[in-house]
Amino acid sequence: MREIKDLRLDRMRYTNNAISATLCYLAILLDALYFVSIYSSDVGNYYYSMTIGVSVVYNLVFLLVAFLCSEGVKNYAKLYGYVSIAIGVLQLVRILGIPLNAFTSVISYAGEELKVMELSQFIYVTVLLVLSAMACCAAGAICLTKSYELDAYRREIGVEK
């Protein structure tokens, strides 16, 4: 059994951490679906504010950092594992921003009261953000676990990074 584990660890020295990278790509895809849903909503002038501008910038930063993390975790870099977990947590915090505010807001437009975000859209975007967060956190956790195992194995066999 020890030989199989050593073989698996030795193989890790020469292969990429594909599962963590794939989870980062999945988080990017889920975030893209989230912002398409939010930005395609047109309820009066609710979304024409500084909040949506900040959201657009944050989405661009998230996409950039998540892609950078996908490349880092692919190579078992611990820093990117931690960053991936951090951006996963920030995805959860985002639920308290636009989705929750839009869901609880009602605006008066053209003489009628409009709910900014219906329950179905709120559930949809919340699920997307939660799944994106889970993908980021899982990518980071898997990366960190494998990185520490690989580092211990390298020390054991006397090989530097």
Side-chain angles (χ1 to χ4, degrees):
M1 192 64 164
R2 172 78 175 151
E3 295 162 357
I4 293 172
K5 183 176 181 184
D6 287 348
L7 181 63
R8 183 182 66 82
L9 289 170
D10 198 48
R11 187 168 180 261
M12 282 173 54
R13 292 173 48 203
Y14 304 104
T15 59
N16 290 330
N17 184 0
I19 187 139
S20 289
T22 302
L23 287 168
C24 285
Y25 298 140
L26 177 62
I28 290 170
L29 174 67
L30 293 166
D31 186 68
L33 292 173
Y34 160 78
F35 72 72
V36 164
S37 177
I38 293 291
Y39 301 157
S40 65
S41 297
D42 188 24
V43 180
N45 59 0
Y46 179 81
Y47 288 111
Y48 300 109
S49 67
M50 184 64 116
T51 304
I52 204 73
V54 170
S55 176
V56 169
V57 171
Y58 179 82
N59 270 319
L60 293 173
V61 170
F62 172 82
L63 294 171
L64 179 67
V65 171
F67 182 75
L68 186 61
C69 283
S70 75
E71 293 301 310
V73 298
K74 191 185 299 182
N75 296 309
Y76 303 101
K78 291 184 197 103
L79 172 65
Y80 292 106
Y82 289 117
V83 171
S84 183
I85 292 170
I87 64 173
V89 169
L90 289 174
Q91 286 292 81
L92 292 175
V93 172
R94 289 179 76 187
I95 295 169
L96 303 174
I98 289 177
L100 187 60
N101 287 337
F103 178 65
T104 58
S105 295
V106 176
I107 63 168
S108 184
Y109 184 73
E112 63 180 279
E113 297 291 314
L114 297 174
K115 191 158 177 67
V116 175
M117 185 181 288
E118 295 297 325
L119 179 62
S120 59
Q121 185 185 15
F122 177 71
I123 291 171
Y124 177 69
V125 296
T126 301
V127 166
L128 289 174
L129 286 175
V130 168
L131 291 174
S132 177
M134 289 171 55
C136 285
C137 290
I142 291 168
C143 174
L144 291 172
T145 301
K146 287 184 173 187
S147 295
Y148 283 112
E149 283 180 15
L150 186 57
D151 286 350
Y153 178 70
R154 285 181 177 143
R155 280 192 303 276
E156 183 181 312
I157 63 172
V159 173
E160 289 296 317
K161 211 174 190 180

